[in-house]
Amino acid sequence: METKIYTLDQIDEAAAALKKGQLVAFPTETVYGLGADATNVEAVSHVYEAKGRPSDNPLIVTIADVATLEKFAQPLSDQVKLLIKTFWPGSLTIILPLKKDALSKTVTGGLDTAAFRMPANAATLSLIRTAGVPIVGPSANTSGKPSPTLAEHVYHDLKGKIAGILDDGPTDVGVESTIIDMSTDVPTILRPGAVTEDQLADVLGTVQGNKHKVGANETPKAPGMKYKHYAPDAQVEIVDHPSDFKAAVDWAGQQATKVGLMATDDILAKLDVPANVETYSLGADVAAASHLLFAGLRHFDLETEVATIFTQGFSNDGLGAAYMNRLNKSAGGVHFTNNKSVDK
């Protein structure tokens, strides 16, 4: 299959492909998603095949208006309506109980709930409206690899497996949306993102903020809770404190292989970097680092041959919670401390 790169003036053509049951990757403000008609079971099954995604890992349903949401979800509570008013379009995914048989179990991972999102990207909202159907929207990458923040990332992973990619340049946020479960008695964050726990608490009052994993025999209610995610071929190691970077660089300089180093500009400026260490700037702060994290991991995956990637950690609050959630999964919990790698 030839994978076409659609420009923004070819949205009609991309929408036609979706209506035919084909797969089209699309841009959002967070990462690129992999679209298929959410009401077409065969098309949705091809999403799992293209990504190599486990069948019990539910898919997000991406919509362009609240009327579509109301066709599938049970009547919306006042709290849900307030979330929609406050954060949509935007980087918040909301899990809701479904009307009976409203969506295929292929979409929901066998559950009676589904995750819904309205992204803040004009091109994708136009794509959905033109197609006339909601679309599933998992990240448009090979399952387990860093999420794509450029159309080129999607093409690398999925060329020949999907019909096309709607290219709208680099994404703005760089980490996937926050997921909040509104099907439970207490609203629960299942995945942190750009919409923070404090922002949600300001709207909802009480929020449960730490349900990010499930057991081996549980069915996850949201993506990213069970399976390995965001991992490049090289081993990522988290450097928690700026004071540890000198030791990490000293260790790297003793290696026979190349080593990658991802950190903010202020840290990179203070380091005497050996010849075998390649650096990648994470910008000035955690917001920039969140935007650049996946792009940096893919840089080392696609363009260099490194065995280890030392990556800066941040405080686990605010946007840092989303950044560290992705980085910890990418590293498999491996941290560099006192000249050695340790699991935490």
Coordinates of all heavy atoms in Angstrom, one line a residue, residues 118-192:
M118 N -12.0 15.8 22.0 CA -12.1 16.7 20.9 C -10.8 17.6 20.9 O -10.6 18.4 21.7 CB -13.3 17.7 21.2 CG -13.6 18.6 20.0 SD -14.9 19.9 20.4 CE -16.3 18.8 20.8
P119 N -9.9 17.3 19.9 CA -8.6 17.9 19.9 C -8.7 19.4 19.5 O -9.6 19.8 18.7 CB -7.8 17.1 18.9 CG -8.9 16.5 18.0 CD -10.1 16.3 18.8
A120 N -7.7 20.1 19.9 CA -7.6 21.5 19.5 C -6.7 21.6 18.3 O -5.6 22.2 18.3 CB -7.0 22.3 20.7
N121 N -7.2 21.1 17.2 CA -6.5 21.2 15.9 C -7.6 21.4 14.8 O -8.4 20.5 14.6 CB -5.7 19.9 15.7 CG -5.0 20.0 14.3 OD1 -5.5 19.7 13.3 ND2 -3.7 20.3 14.4
A122 N -7.6 22.5 14.2 CA -8.6 22.9 13.2 C -8.6 21.9 12.0 O -9.7 21.6 11.5 CB -8.4 24.3 12.7
A123 N -7.5 21.4 11.6 CA -7.4 20.5 10.4 C -8.1 19.2 10.7 O -8.9 18.7 9.9 CB -6.0 20.3 10.0
T124 N -7.9 18.7 11.9 CA -8.5 17.4 12.3 C -10.0 17.6 12.6 O -10.8 16.7 12.2 CB -7.8 16.8 13.5 OG1 -6.5 16.3 13.0 CG2 -8.6 15.7 14.1
L125 N -10.4 18.6 13.2 CA -11.8 18.9 13.4 C -12.5 19.0 12.0 O -13.6 18.4 11.8 CB -12.1 20.1 14.2 CG -11.6 20.1 15.6 CD1 -11.8 21.4 16.3 CD2 -12.2 18.9 16.4
S126 N -11.9 19.6 11.1 CA -12.5 19.7 9.7 C -12.5 18.3 9.1 O -13.5 17.9 8.4 CB -11.6 20.6 8.9 OG -12.1 20.7 7.5
L127 N -11.5 17.5 9.3 CA -11.4 16.1 8.7 C -12.6 15.3 9.2 O -13.2 14.6 8.5 CB -10.1 15.5 9.1 CG -9.9 14.0 8.7 CD1 -9.8 13.9 7.2 CD2 -8.6 13.5 9.4
I128 N -12.8 15.4 10.5 CA -13.9 14.6 11.1 C -15.3 15.0 10.6 O -16.1 14.2 10.3 CB -13.8 14.7 12.7 CG1 -12.5 14.0 13.2 CG2 -15.0 14.0 13.3 CD1 -12.2 14.3 14.7
R129 N -15.4 16.3 10.6 CA -16.7 16.9 10.1 C -17.0 16.5 8.6 O -18.1 16.1 8.2 CB -16.8 18.4 10.2 CG -16.8 18.9 11.7 CD -17.0 20.4 11.8 NE -16.8 20.9 13.1 CZ -15.8 21.6 13.6 NH1 -14.8 21.9 12.7 NH2 -15.8 22.0 14.8
T130 N -15.9 16.5 7.8 CA -16.0 16.2 6.4 C -16.3 14.7 6.2 O -17.1 14.3 5.4 CB -14.7 16.6 5.7 OG1 -14.5 18.0 5.9 CG2 -14.9 16.3 4.2
A131 N -15.7 13.8 7.0 CA -15.9 12.4 7.0 C -17.3 12.0 7.5 O -17.9 11.0 7.0 CB -14.8 11.7 7.8
G132 N -17.8 12.8 8.4 CA -19.1 12.6 8.9 C -19.2 11.5 9.9 O -20.3 11.0 10.2
V133 N -18.1 11.0 10.4 CA -18.1 9.9 11.4 C -17.0 10.3 12.5 O -16.0 10.9 12.2 CB -17.7 8.6 10.8 CG1 -18.9 8.1 9.9 CG2 -16.4 8.6 10.0
P134 N -17.2 9.8 13.7 CA -16.2 9.9 14.7 C -15.0 8.9 14.3 O -15.3 8.0 13.6 CB -16.8 9.4 16.0 CG -17.9 8.5 15.6 CD -18.4 9.0 14.2
I135 N -13.8 9.2 14.7 CA -12.7 8.4 14.4 C -12.0 7.9 15.6 O -11.9 8.7 16.6 CB -11.7 9.1 13.4 CG1 -11.2 10.4 14.0 CG2 -12.4 9.3 12.1 CD1 -10.1 11.1 13.1
V136 N -11.5 6.7 15.6 CA -10.6 6.3 16.7 C -9.3 7.1 16.6 O -8.9 7.5 15.5 CB -10.4 4.8 16.7 CG1 -11.6 4.0 17.0 CG2 -9.7 4.3 15.4
G137 N -8.6 7.2 17.7 CA -7.4 8.1 17.6 C -6.3 7.7 18.5 O -5.8 8.5 19.3
P138 N -5.8 6.4 18.5 CA -4.6 6.1 19.2 C -3.4 6.8 18.6 O -3.5 7.3 17.5 CB -4.4 4.6 19.1 CG -5.0 4.3 17.7 CD -6.2 5.3 17.6
S139 N -2.3 6.9 19.3 CA -1.1 7.5 18.7 C -0.7 6.8 17.4 O -0.8 5.5 17.4 CB 0.1 7.6 19.7 OG 0.4 6.3 20.2
A140 N -0.2 7.5 16.4 CA 0.1 6.9 15.1 C 1.5 6.4 15.0 O 2.3 6.9 14.3 CB -0.2 7.9 14.0
N141 N 1.8 5.4 15.9 CA 3.2 4.9 15.9 C 3.1 3.3 16.1 O 2.0 2.8 16.4 CB 3.9 5.4 17.1 CG 3.2 5.2 18.4 OD1 2.0 5.5 18.6 ND2 3.9 4.7 19.4
T142 N 4.2 2.7 15.9 CA 4.2 1.3 16.2 C 4.1 1.2 17.8 O 4.7 1.9 18.5 CB 5.6 0.7 15.8 OG1 5.7 0.8 14.4 CG2 5.7 -0.8 16.2
S143 N 3.2 0.2 18.2 CA 2.9 0.1 19.6 C 4.2 -0.1 20.4 O 5.0 -0.9 20.1 CB 2.0 -1.1 19.8 OG 1.5 -1.1 21.2
G144 N 4.3 0.7 21.5 CA 5.4 0.7 22.4 C 6.5 1.6 22.1 O 7.4 1.9 22.9
K145 N 6.5 2.3 20.9 CA 7.6 3.2 20.5 C 7.2 4.6 20.9 O 6.0 4.9 21.2 CB 7.8 3.1 19.0 CG 8.5 1.8 18.6 CD 9.9 1.7 19.2 CE 10.6 0.5 18.8 NZ 11.9 0.4 19.5
P146 N 8.1 5.6 20.9 CA 7.8 7.0 21.2 C 6.7 7.5 20.3 O 6.6 7.2 19.1 CB 9.1 7.7 21.0 CG 10.1 6.7 21.2 CD 9.6 5.4 20.7
S147 N 5.8 8.2 20.9 CA 4.6 8.8 20.1 C 5.1 9.8 19.1 O 6.1 10.5 19.3 CB 3.6 9.4 21.0 OG 3.0 8.4 21.9
P148 N 4.4 9.9 17.9 CA 4.9 10.8 16.8 C 4.5 12.2 17.0 O 3.3 12.5 17.3 CB 4.2 10.2 15.6 CG 3.0 9.6 16.1 CD 3.3 9.1 17.5
T149 N 5.4 13.1 16.9 CA 5.1 14.6 16.9 C 5.3 15.3 15.6 O 5.1 16.5 15.5 CB 5.9 15.3 18.0 OG1 7.3 15.0 17.7 CG2 5.6 14.7 19.4
L150 N 5.7 14.5 14.6 CA 5.8 15.0 13.2 C 5.2 13.9 12.3 O 5.2 12.7 12.6 CB 7.3 15.1 12.8 CG 8.1 16.3 13.5 CD1 9.5 16.1 13.2 CD2 7.6 17.6 13.1
A151 N 4.7 14.4 11.1 CA 4.2 13.4 10.1 C 5.3 12.5 9.7 O 5.1 11.3 9.4 CB 3.7 14.2 8.9
E152 N 6.6 12.9 9.7 CA 7.7 12.1 9.3 C 7.8 10.9 10.3 O 8.2 9.8 9.9 CB 9.0 12.9 9.3 CG 9.1 13.9 8.1 CD 8.5 15.2 8.5 OE1 7.6 15.3 9.4 OE2 9.0 16.2 7.9
H153 N 7.5 11.1 11.6 CA 7.6 10.0 12.5 C 6.6 8.9 12.2 O 6.8 7.7 12.3 CB 7.3 10.5 14.0 CG 8.3 11.5 14.4 ND1 8.0 12.4 15.5 CD2 9.6 11.8 14.0 CE1 9.1 13.1 15.7 NE2 10.0 12.8 14.9
V154 N 5.4 9.4 11.8 CA 4.3 8.5 11.4 C 4.7 7.7 10.2 O 4.6 6.4 10.2 CB 3.0 9.2 11.2 CG1 1.9 8.2 10.8 CG2 2.6 10.1 12.3
Y155 N 5.2 8.4 9.2 CA 5.6 7.7 8.0 C 6.7 6.7 8.3 O 6.6 5.6 7.7 CB 6.2 8.8 7.0 CG 6.4 8.2 5.6 CD1 5.3 8.1 4.7 CD2 7.6 7.8 5.2 CE1 5.4 7.6 3.5 CE2 7.8 7.3 3.9 CZ 6.7 7.2 3.0 OH 6.9 6.7 1.8
H156 N 7.6 6.9 9.1 CA 8.7 6.0 9.5 C 8.1 4.7 10.0 O 8.5 3.6 9.6 CB 9.7 6.5 10.5 CG 10.7 5.6 11.0 ND1 10.5 4.8 12.1 CD2 11.9 5.2 10.5 CE1 11.5 4.0 12.2 NE2 12.4 4.2 11.3
D157 N 7.1 4.8 10.9 CA 6.6 3.6 11.6 C 5.5 2.9 10.7 O 5.4 1.7 10.8 CB 5.9 4.0 12.9 CG 6.9 4.2 14.0 OD1 8.1 4.4 13.7 OD2 6.5 4.3 15.2
L158 N 4.7 3.6 10.0 CA 3.5 3.0 9.4 C 3.4 3.1 7.9 O 2.4 2.7 7.3 CB 2.3 3.7 10.0 CG 2.1 3.6 11.5 CD1 0.9 4.4 12.0 CD2 2.1 2.2 12.0
K159 N 4.5 3.5 7.2 CA 4.4 3.6 5.7 C 4.1 2.2 5.2 O 4.7 1.2 5.7 CB 5.7 4.1 5.2 CG 6.9 3.3 5.4 CD 8.2 3.9 4.8 CE 9.4 3.1 5.1 NZ 10.6 3.7 4.5
G160 N 3.2 2.2 4.2 CA 2.8 0.9 3.6 C 1.7 0.2 4.4 O 1.2 -0.8 3.9
K161 N 1.4 0.7 5.6 CA 0.4 0.0 6.4 C -0.9 0.9 6.5 O -1.9 0.3 6.9 CB 0.9 -0.2 7.8 CG 2.1 -1.1 7.9 CD 2.5 -1.3 9.3 CE 3.7 -2.2 9.5 NZ 4.2 -2.4 10.9
I162 N -0.8 2.1 6.1 CA -2.0 3.0 6.2 C -2.1 3.8 4.9 O -1.2 3.9 4.1 CB -1.9 4.0 7.4 CG1 -0.7 5.0 7.2 CG2 -1.7 3.2 8.7 CD1 -0.6 6.0 8.3
A163 N -3.3 4.3 4.7 CA -3.6 5.0 3.4 C -2.9 6.4 3.3 O -2.4 6.8 2.2 CB -5.1 5.2 3.2
G164 N -2.8 7.1 4.4 CA -2.2 8.4 4.3 C -2.0 9.1 5.7 O -2.4 8.6 6.7
I165 N -1.4 10.3 5.6 CA -1.1 11.1 6.8 C -1.5 12.5 6.5 O -1.0 13.1 5.5 CB 0.4 11.0 7.2 CG1 0.8 9.5 7.4 CG2 0.7 11.8 8.4 CD1 2.3 9.4 7.3
L166 N -2.3 13.1 7.3 CA -2.6 14.5 7.1 C -1.6 15.3 7.9 O -1.5 15.3 9.1 CB -4.0 14.8 7.7 CG -4.5 16.3 7.6 CD1 -4.5 16.8 6.2 CD2 -5.9 16.5 8.3
D167 N -0.8 16.1 7.1 CA 0.4 16.7 7.7 C 0.1 18.2 8.1 O -0.3 19.0 7.2 CB 1.5 16.7 6.7 CG 2.9 17.2 7.2 OD1 2.9 17.7 8.4 OD2 3.9 17.2 6.5
D168 N 0.2 18.5 9.4 CA 0.0 19.8 9.9 C 1.2 20.3 10.6 O 1.1 21.1 11.6 CB -1.3 19.9 10.7 CG -1.7 21.3 11.0 OD1 -1.3 22.2 10.2 OD2 -2.3 21.6 12.1
G169 N 2.4 19.8 10.3 CA 3.6 20.2 10.9 C 3.8 19.6 12.3 O 3.1 18.7 12.7
P170 N 4.7 20.2 13.1 CA 5.0 19.6 14.5 C 3.8 19.9 15.4 O 3.1 20.9 15.3 CB 6.2 20.4 14.9 CG 6.2 21.6 14.1 CD 5.6 21.3 12.8
T171 N 3.6 19.0 16.3 CA 2.5 19.2 17.3 C 3.0 20.2 18.4 O 4.2 20.5 18.5 CB 2.2 17.9 18.0 OG1 3.3 17.4 18.7 CG2 1.7 16.9 17.0
D172 N 2.0 20.8 19.1 CA 2.4 21.9 20.1 C 2.8 21.4 21.4 O 3.7 21.8 22.0 CB 1.2 22.9 20.2 CG 0.9 23.6 18.9 OD1 1.8 23.9 18.2 OD2 -0.3 23.8 18.6
V173 N 2.0 20.4 22.0 CA 2.2 20.0 23.4 C 3.3 18.9 23.5 O 4.2 19.0 24.3 CB 0.8 19.5 24.0 CG1 1.1 19.0 25.4 CG2 -0.2 20.6 23.9
G174 N 3.2 17.9 22.7 CA 4.2 16.9 22.6 C 4.0 15.7 23.5 O 4.7 14.7 23.3
V175 N 3.1 15.7 24.4 CA 2.7 14.5 25.2 C 1.2 14.3 25.1 O 0.5 15.3 24.9 CB 3.1 14.5 26.7 CG1 4.6 14.5 26.8 CG2 2.5 15.7 27.4
E176 N 0.7 13.1 25.1 CA -0.7 12.8 24.9 C -1.6 13.5 25.9 O -1.1 13.9 27.0 CB -0.9 11.3 24.9 CG -0.1 10.5 23.9 CD 1.2 10.1 24.4 OE1 1.7 10.6 25.5 OE2 1.8 9.2 23.8
S177 N -2.9 13.5 25.6 CA -3.8 14.2 26.5 C -4.0 13.5 27.9 O -3.7 12.3 28.1 CB -5.2 14.1 25.8 OG -5.6 12.8 25.6
T178 N -4.4 14.3 28.8 CA -4.8 13.9 30.1 C -6.0 13.0 29.9 O -6.9 13.3 29.1 CB -5.1 15.0 31.0 OG1 -4.0 15.9 31.1 CG2 -5.5 14.5 32.4
I179 N -6.1 11.9 30.6 CA -7.3 11.0 30.6 C -7.9 11.0 32.0 O -7.3 10.7 33.0 CB -7.0 9.6 30.2 CG1 -6.5 9.6 28.8 CG2 -8.3 8.8 30.2 CD1 -6.1 8.2 28.2
I180 N -9.2 11.4 32.1 CA -9.9 11.4 33.3 C -11.1 10.5 33.2 O -11.9 10.5 32.2 CB -10.4 12.8 33.8 CG1 -11.0 12.7 35.2 CG2 -11.3 13.5 32.8 CD1 -11.1 14.1 35.9
D181 N -11.3 9.6 34.2 CA -12.4 8.6 34.2 C -13.6 9.2 34.9 O -13.5 9.5 36.2 CB -11.9 7.3 34.9 CG -13.0 6.2 34.8 OD1 -14.1 6.5 34.3 OD2 -12.7 5.1 35.3
M182 N -14.6 9.5 34.2 CA -15.8 10.1 34.8 C -16.9 9.1 34.9 O -18.1 9.4 35.2 CB -16.3 11.3 34.0 CG -15.3 12.5 34.0 SD -15.0 13.2 35.6 CE -16.6 13.9 35.9
S183 N -16.6 7.8 34.8 CA -17.5 6.7 35.0 C -17.5 6.1 36.4 O -18.3 5.2 36.7 CB -17.3 5.6 34.0 OG -16.1 4.9 34.3
T184 N -16.7 6.7 37.3 CA -16.5 6.2 38.6 C -17.1 7.2 39.6 O -17.4 8.4 39.2 CB -15.0 6.0 39.0 OG1 -14.3 7.2 38.7 CG2 -14.4 4.9 38.1
D185 N -17.3 6.8 40.9 CA -17.8 7.7 41.9 C -17.0 8.9 42.1 O -17.5 10.1 42.2 CB -18.0 7.0 43.2 CG -19.1 5.9 43.1 OD1 -20.0 6.0 42.2 OD2 -19.1 5.0 43.9
V186 N -15.7 8.7 42.1 CA -14.7 9.8 42.2 C -14.0 10.0 40.9 O -13.3 9.0 40.4 CB -13.7 9.6 43.4 CG1 -12.7 10.7 43.5 CG2 -14.4 9.4 44.7
P187 N -14.0 11.2 40.3 CA -13.2 11.3 39.0 C -11.8 11.0 39.2 O -11.1 11.4 40.2 CB -13.4 12.8 38.8 CG -14.7 13.2 39.4 CD -14.7 12.4 40.7
T188 N -11.2 10.2 38.3 CA -9.9 9.6 38.5 C -9.0 9.8 37.3 O -9.5 9.5 36.2 CB -10.0 8.1 38.8 OG1 -10.8 7.9 39.9 CG2 -8.6 7.5 39.0
I189 N -7.8 10.4 37.5 CA -6.9 10.6 36.4 C -6.2 9.3 36.1 O -5.5 8.7 36.9 CB -5.9 11.7 36.7 CG1 -6.6 13.0 37.0 CG2 -4.8 11.8 35.6 CD1 -5.7 14.1 37.5
L190 N -6.4 8.8 34.9 CA -5.7 7.5 34.4 C -4.5 7.8 33.7 O -3.7 6.8 33.5 CB -6.7 6.7 33.6 CG -8.0 6.3 34.3 CD1 -8.8 5.4 33.4 CD2 -7.8 5.7 35.6
R191 N -4.3 9.0 33.1 CA -3.1 9.3 32.5 C -2.9 10.8 32.6 O -3.7 11.6 32.2 CB -3.1 9.0 31.0 CG -1.8 9.2 30.2 CD -1.9 8.8 28.8 NE -2.7 9.6 27.9 CZ -3.1 9.3 26.7 NH1 -2.7 8.2 26.1 NH2 -3.9 10.2 26.0
P192 N -1.7 11.3 33.1 CA -1.5 12.7 33.2 C -1.2 13.3 31.9 O -0.6 12.6 31.0 CB -0.3 12.8 34.2 CG 0.4 11.6 34.0 CD -0.6 10.5 33.7

